[in-house]
Amino acid sequence: MSVPVPYWRQALALVLPVIGGLAVLGVAQHEAPLSWPPPTTGEMPLLSEGGEAPRSRVSAHARLRERPLDGMALRSLANDVAVNEGLVAALPLYEIAVRRAPRNPSIRGQLFTHYVELERWQQAMQQLDAWLRLDPVAAEPFLAEWIGRRDTPMLALLAVRLAQDAPWQSVAWPLLAEHGQERALRIVLETLAALRPLHAHELALYLPMLERTGDAGRAREVWMETSAVSKAVDRVYDGGFEFGVGPSPYGWQWGGVASGYYSGIDSAAPWEGRNAMAWRFPGRDIKFAPLQQALVLAPGVYRLTVHARAELDMEAGSFVWTVMCRAPVGSADDLPRATILASMPVPARTQGWQELSTPLVVDECPLQRLQLQHVARGRGQSRVSGGMAFDGVSIESMHATAIPGDPCRPGKPRANVEASGACREAADE
């Protein structure tokens, strides 16, 4: 007894001779080969088993007689096969339909979705990659769906394509920033980082994500590894201002809009090295843009040291170095966590270069910001004349660790820590 040939194979027997077997073979050479044997005999039945022929199949049959390359007609046949014989059996027809109409969003999207349903991640990524190259606008919603899923294989495959500098990266990264949850971003970015160095726009997503998820130390390590001047990175990056302002997010940054003065690198007479950071004030009211740097200090007791040179005339107010708690990089608001950990005023006048220092206790504050700011005493009292410069900014550890509530660990010899009241000079045992 002969085994009946499935009607979808009989349908292919009708379609493929018209298209041309060589054309099909040529397409298959450029894509993954189909996993089905070519049909050989038989007519396409118009009746399902025990019932009337579906209208979609009758319509598809008629369209294919007139237009053998009609991708939508092939998709209609594939839909009917999926209902009667299952999705796996229908995939070859969907694949041919995509080849006949590669820019049709409904056909391409349906095949992509079916691959995802069957957890055929490689084939799904191949479809999405091809579609993004052909029509990134139409493919964008499906890429957003891909990014929004939590499937590790899908996200890792996306990272592999990005590592290969896929031409649709400009579409992918905004979607990752908008739709990618923390776990999804971490999978994509860490997979990508293992394949090649992260670019600046990728670090701009990765580092804030690490800080938000409580891994700020790792964020700064990654930044150090990618920095061209990593040897200048200590607890304070570039404390000698040898490299000027930047790079973000852990280099020196200006905060806010500035007016009424001049600032920049001074190479004429630094405290040490080649450069110092200097300001000149011509005697006008100023709007001071703080010089600041994001820190990631472990709990402990430290000493902040700054070398200053100043000849200032001010109606009121002062310049102050502070260390305060901060929110993660990229957060819109620092105020809820802006607890001041240390404060060190700058003298209006110094005898040449003068060393300033103050203790700094870090306890339950995993993220900090070092900042030079101008504190005015009242409205209309911000006029400043003269100049100032800073060099040799450092934060040195005074204790290996801190015990909450008792950072000095009394009973052991400790350096004299005075200003904060958190520590006192400990007597030798």
Side-chain angles (χ1 to χ4, degrees):
M1 184 178 66
S2 62
V3 179
V5 179
Y7 74 83
W8 66 269
R9 291 190 177 176
Q10 298 177 28
L12 289 176
L14 174 68
V15 175
L16 292 181
V18 182
I19 298 173
L22 292 177
V24 174
L25 180 59
V27 172
Q29 289 174 345
H30 294 284
E31 301 185 24
L34 299 180
S35 60
W36 46 275
T40 54
T41 60
E43 295 289 334
M44 182 179 75
L46 295 182
L47 294 179
S48 296
E49 209 175 294
E52 187 178 338
R55 289 184 180 181
S56 62
R57 196 193 316 164
V58 173
S59 175
H61 180 267
R63 291 202 307 271
L64 285 171
R65 286 189 181 277
E66 297 177 5
R67 299 185 300 276
L69 300 182
D70 191 327
M72 291 296 289
L74 283 165
R75 190 189 72 160
S76 296
L77 289 176
N79 288 340
D80 195 52
V81 171
V83 170
N84 287 276
E85 298 187 30
L87 186 54
V88 174
L91 283 179
L93 278 172
Y94 285 121
E95 290 167 340
I96 296 176
V98 163
R99 292 170 184 170
R100 300 296 165 256
R103 291 183 180 273
N104 186 300
S106 60
I107 299 175
R108 179 77 72 170
Q110 189 170 359
L111 179 57
F112 164 76
T113 302
H114 290 331
Y115 279 139
V116 171
E117 290 172 2
L118 295 172
E119 297 187 355
R120 296 188 179 184
W121 311 122
Q122 289 281 3
Q123 290 168 295
M125 187 67 246
Q126 288 171 0
Q127 286 300 319
L128 188 56
D129 180 38
W131 195 9
L132 284 163
R133 292 169 188 267
L134 288 168
D135 193 347
V137 175
E140 185 173 318
F142 292 89
L143 179 59
E145 176 192 352
W146 182 288
I147 289 170
R149 289 174 173 264
R150 294 176 173 268
D151 304 282
T152 302
M154 299 175 66
L155 296 168
L157 287 170
L158 177 61
V160 171
R161 296 287 171 156
L162 292 172
Q164 297 168 349
D165 294 325
W168 39 264
Q169 292 199 55
S170 59
V171 175
W173 287 114
L175 291 175
L176 275 165
E178 181 179 356
H179 299 286
Q181 300 176 8
E182 303 289 7
R183 181 174 177 274
L185 273 176
R186 189 159 195 149
I187 291 170
V188 171
L189 289 164
E190 289 187 348
T191 304
L192 188 58
L195 297 171
R196 64 156 171 78
L198 295 179
H199 301 322
H201 67 276
E202 296 159 356
L203 285 171
L205 280 177
Y206 189 35
L207 302 181
M209 182 272 296
L210 287 175
E211 285 206 352
R212 289 194 304 269
T213 55
D215 203 355
R218 175 60 183 156
R220 198 162 188 268
E221 286 177 6
V222 171
W223 180 78
M224 290 168 60
E225 291 167 0
T226 58
S227 172
V229 289
S230 59
K231 292 182 180 179
V233 178
D234 199 354
R235 292 187 182 90
V236 176
Y237 163 77
D238 189 19
F241 300 103
E242 300 300 295
F243 305 99
V245 175
S248 62
Y250 299 109
W252 291 109
Q253 308 292 325
W254 298 115
V257 179
S259 64
Y261 62 92
Y262 309 96
S263 61
I265 294 296
D266 178 11
S267 302
W271 174 71
E272 66 176 3
R274 297 173 299 172
N275 299 324
M277 184 66 76
W279 288 256
R280 286 304 295 176
F281 303 95
R284 300 195 294 264
D285 286 342
I286 67 169
K287 180 180 286 185
F288 191 74
L291 179 68
Q292 58 190 32
Q293 182 175 142
L295 302 178
V296 183
L297 299 175
V301 180
Y302 302 88
R303 180 170 290 278
L304 168 65
T305 300
V306 178
H307 293 82
R309 186 184 65 206
E311 294 181 7
L312 299 171
D313 290 314
M314 294 180 284
E315 294 179 355
S318 62
F319 290 93
V320 182
W321 283 95
T322 61
V323 178
M324 61 182 65
C325 292
R326 65 173 175 87
V329 167
S331 297
D333 189 5
D334 269 353
L335 293 179
R337 306 192 64 181
T339 302
I340 295 178
L341 305 176
S343 179
M344 184 172 65
V346 177
R349 293 182 178 274
T350 65
Q351 296 294 323
W353 285 102
Q354 180 177 328
E355 181 179 295
L356 312 176
S357 66
T358 189
L360 166 62
V361 179
V362 177
D363 190 357
E364 297 180 1
C365 182
L367 306 173
Q368 312 87 31
R369 181 172 66 241
L370 171 63
Q371 179 172 283
L372 172 68
Q373 58 189 6
H374 179 249
V375 180
R377 301 306 181 195
R379 186 176 180 181
Q381 296 181 330
S382 58
R383 183 166 297 178
V384 183
S385 61
M388 65 181 183
F390 299 97
D391 199 356
V393 182
S394 65
I395 294 177
E396 300 297 330
S397 176
M398 298 176 65
H399 299 274
T401 58
I403 299 175
D406 186 15
C408 283
R409 293 189 291 181
K412 299 292 184 181
R414 296 293 177 231
N416 188 14
V417 183
E418 303 165 343
S420 69
C423 299
R424 301 181 184 277
E425 184 173 6
D428 292 344
E429 291 184 327

